[in-house]
Amino acid sequence: MALVSKTMDNKLKLLEGAASVAKKLLTEEGCERVLIVWDLRPAWPDKKDKPCRAKERQTLLVSLEQAGLKNAPVYLVCIEQELESWLLACDHAIGAFLSTAAHPYLVDRVKKPDRHPQPKAVMNNHFNKARGVRYDDKVHALKVLKAADVDWKRLRRSDSFARFETKLQ
């Protein structure tokens, strides 16, 4: 099974455009199912509106219905904080990615990654401390996960990842 990823840049663009992207993935690109995944509390939140999973979910469901995808295999997965919550569950992968032969980088285990209030800030701190660079999710997230064998048991400590995995199967 090949995976295709489409990034929507920010939450507003995701809420406005996810249905049309999902339709294209299903009809033109031959995908069996589509998972729409978003951060409830993105790093740069909208100051006017407080994040509300129910409101965002309803917005997506309405747009999916308007696109003719009401009963299509499209699943919604809201990450409690940010995608980096999933990375925090894989402390060994962060350490593997940031370590060098001369300087191992140890990362403390986070037992409840979905409850950490600022997971992206934690990743920034790790990258700054180990390499003197800023963490960039579009560049580094997959590289971190590929740096070590994924410990699925640890990753499933994130409730939102466990939901994602269920919908993926």
Side-chain angles (χ1 to χ4, degrees):
M1 164 177 57
L3 298 176
V4 177
S5 175
K6 302 288 182 183
T7 305
M8 304 295 291
D9 292 332
N10 61 49
K11 191 187 288 194
L12 180 60
K13 288 182 181 177
L14 178 129
L15 294 172
E16 291 175 348
S20 63
V21 171
K23 187 169 190 168
K24 182 178 179 181
L25 288 168
L26 291 168
T27 59
E28 296 175 25
E29 297 193 29
C31 293
E32 295 175 24
R33 71 190 67 160
V34 173
L35 279 70
I36 298 173
V37 182
W38 76 99
D39 297 342
L40 179 61
R41 294 177 182 89
W44 296 277
D46 181 351
K47 302 290 184 196
K48 297 180 294 184
D49 293 325
K50 189 174 181 178
C52 177
R53 183 186 347 260
K55 181 180 169 186
E56 293 166 4
R57 180 179 180 277
Q58 190 58 39
T59 298
L60 288 166
L61 290 173
V62 167
S63 65
L64 288 167
E65 186 172 352
Q66 290 171 345
L69 299 174
K70 183 176 183 179
N71 295 315
V74 177
Y75 305 96
L76 307 179
V77 179
C78 180
I79 301 174
E80 184 67 29
Q81 296 290 347
E82 303 164 336
L83 169 69
E84 287 71 21
S85 299
W86 296 0
L87 296 178
L88 294 181
C90 295
D91 49 279
H92 66 293
I94 298 168
F97 182 77
L98 294 174
S99 291
T100 64
H103 301 286
Y105 186 81
L106 301 176
V107 178
D108 292 334
R109 181 180 285 188
V110 177
K111 292 189 179 192
K112 297 194 181 285
D114 287 336
R115 299 225 175 128
H116 199 289
Q118 294 184 315
K120 194 177 296 274
V122 172
M123 291 300 294
N124 273 323
N125 289 339
H126 285 309
F127 272 69
N128 189 34
K129 185 175 174 184
R131 296 202 176 160
V133 299
R134 188 165 176 80
Y135 166 78
D136 182 343
D137 54 357
K138 293 175 186 76
V139 173
H140 296 120
L142 278 176
K143 290 180 180 180
V144 167
L145 287 176
K146 291 178 179 179
D149 289 335
V150 175
D151 183 338
W152 297 104
K153 184 177 178 184
R154 282 188 186 179
L155 195 47
R156 289 180 191 114
R157 286 188 309 215
S158 164
D159 294 333
S160 60
F161 178 82
R163 283 193 310 274
F164 171 79
E165 183 182 34
T166 299
K167 302 298 182 187
L168 193 59
Q169 298 171 351

